Amino acid sequence: MDLQSIKNRFNIIGNAPALNHALNTAVQVAATDLTVLIVGESGVGKEVFSQIIHALSPRKHSPFIAVNCGAIPEGTIDSELFGHEKGSFTSAHKQRTGKFEQAHGGTLFLDEIGDMSLPAQSKVLRALQENLITRVGSDKDIKVDVRVLAATNKDLKKEIEAGRFREDLYHRLSVILIHVPPLRERKEDIPLLLDKFLEDIAQESGSVKKKVSKEAIERLKELPWTGNIRELRNVVERLVILGEQTISLEDVKKYADY
């Protein structure tokens, strides 16, 4: 499958060299069973890259299980990832399979892995090294066949220096490293994204698609976009609601400028 077909399939807009490099890496590694660490700021689309790798892999007909490690309460992460036996703790009224077992034969995506506690990191490392997990409240090892993809918006090397992330786990995860570029590194894609969002918003609202002046586009390209594509979409929605029929430089200064 060529790169443009992949972009169309996964609704990826842009032709910046940094974006194309990241996509090419994802395509190349998809056919393997290697672990992949996807790094990038919040809002750049790291989970989309994990979905691309899974969809183009030999595991594509098996489960794709995504876990936001930062959203799991500290006391329940073991149960969430590895499952538990009935009666293993107060609220364990029945046996439960964890995400590793649910992803058996397929792909497990560990999003925001930089937020995972050190004890949980140790157990994930064991699962990666030995393909074994143990449910909470059990002493029985369970064999799992899972490809792990991980993502983070943190600098894991700094987290290692600070003692918050295991160096051995980092090296186990980052066999292949994919950097998804922030919007400020692909500003040439902003006009394409802008046009796409204007079209989507017009279709969703049943209204006429708004136009944008050249001066407004140039101003939008100069903004820092710390929230990346997610922020751009929010700004476009604001401009559509509050701006003129042709969004002007003044509209951008009023409703989008920092």
Side-chain angles (χ1 to χ4, degrees):
M1 185 180 291
D2 65 88
L3 210 56
Q4 189 56 52
S5 297
I6 292 168
K7 289 178 182 178
N8 293 341
R9 179 177 173 183
F10 291 93
N11 199 27
I12 294 175
I13 309 298
N15 296 304
L19 176 66
N20 287 341
H21 176 71
L23 281 171
N24 275 318
T25 303
V27 172
Q28 287 178 304
V29 76
T32 74
D33 223 19
L34 298 173
T35 53
V36 180
L37 180 61
I38 306 167
V39 299
E41 296 174 5
S42 178
V44 297
K46 297 185 291 295
E47 184 165 356
V48 175
F49 274 74
S50 71
Q51 292 168 349
I52 290 170
I53 293 169
H54 174 74
L56 299 180
S57 77
R59 295 174 179 264
K60 61 185 176 183
H61 297 301
S62 297
F64 174 86
I65 304 294
V67 183
N68 186 336
C69 300
I72 303 172
E74 178 59 35
T76 64
I77 192 163
D78 282 5
S79 172
E80 190 73 22
L81 292 178
F82 308 112
H84 62 251
E85 297 293 346
K86 180 180 178 180
S88 55
F89 50 87
T90 305
S91 59
H93 302 302
K94 61 181 180 179
Q95 185 189 74
R96 177 185 178 183
T97 58
K99 301 301 185 184
F100 269 88
E101 284 185 82
Q102 292 170 30
H104 183 74
T107 303
L108 178 64
F109 175 53
L110 299 175
D111 197 10
E112 301 307 343
I113 196 164
D115 293 331
M116 185 179 285
S117 69
L118 286 168
Q121 289 175 35
S122 299
K123 294 175 182 178
V124 168
L125 179 62
R126 178 183 181 242
L128 289 171
Q129 290 176 331
E130 302 176 18
N131 297 318
L132 294 173
I133 61 105
T134 306
R135 292 179 187 154
V136 176
S138 172
D139 56 4
K140 179 183 176 183
D141 289 336
I142 299 171
K143 190 83 172 175
V144 288
D145 172 23
V146 174
R147 183 193 193 169
V148 171
L149 309 176
T152 183
N153 59 10
K154 292 186 175 181
D155 184 334
L156 291 187
K157 290 187 177 179
K158 288 184 178 178
E159 293 298 299
I160 291 167
E161 290 175 3
R164 292 188 293 264
F165 201 84
R166 293 182 61 113
E167 186 172 11
D168 46 5
L169 178 58
Y170 172 78
H171 291 302
R172 187 65 184 79
L173 291 170
S174 61
V175 176
I176 301 292
L177 189 68
I178 296 177
H179 171 68
V180 183
L183 196 53
R184 64 181 174 276
E185 291 180 10
R186 43 178 293 221
K187 289 191 173 184
E188 63 266 49
D189 289 338
I190 287 177
L192 295 172
L193 288 161
L194 183 61
D195 186 69
K196 172 64 174 170
F197 293 153
L198 287 169
E199 186 175 319
D200 289 348
I201 292 166
Q203 288 181 353
E204 290 165 8
S205 62
S207 59
V208 176
K209 177 183 173 183
K210 286 198 172 184
K211 298 179 181 179
V212 188
S213 72
K214 289 182 180 179
E215 295 80 9
I217 292 173
E218 288 305 308
R219 182 62 179 173
L220 288 168
K221 287 169 70 175
E222 292 172 2
L223 297 179
W225 299 115
T226 55
N228 294 294
I229 295 173
R230 192 178 298 142
E231 181 189 9
L232 177 60
R233 167 75 192 219
N234 292 342
V235 166
V236 174
E237 288 181 333
R238 193 183 313 143
L239 289 169
V240 167
I241 294 169
L242 302 174
E244 302 297 329
Q245 187 56 45
T246 296
I247 296 167
S248 67
L249 175 60
E250 287 306 310
D251 289 330
V252 172
K253 287 181 177 179
K254 277 195 284 187
Y255 307 123
D257 257 348
Y258 284 69

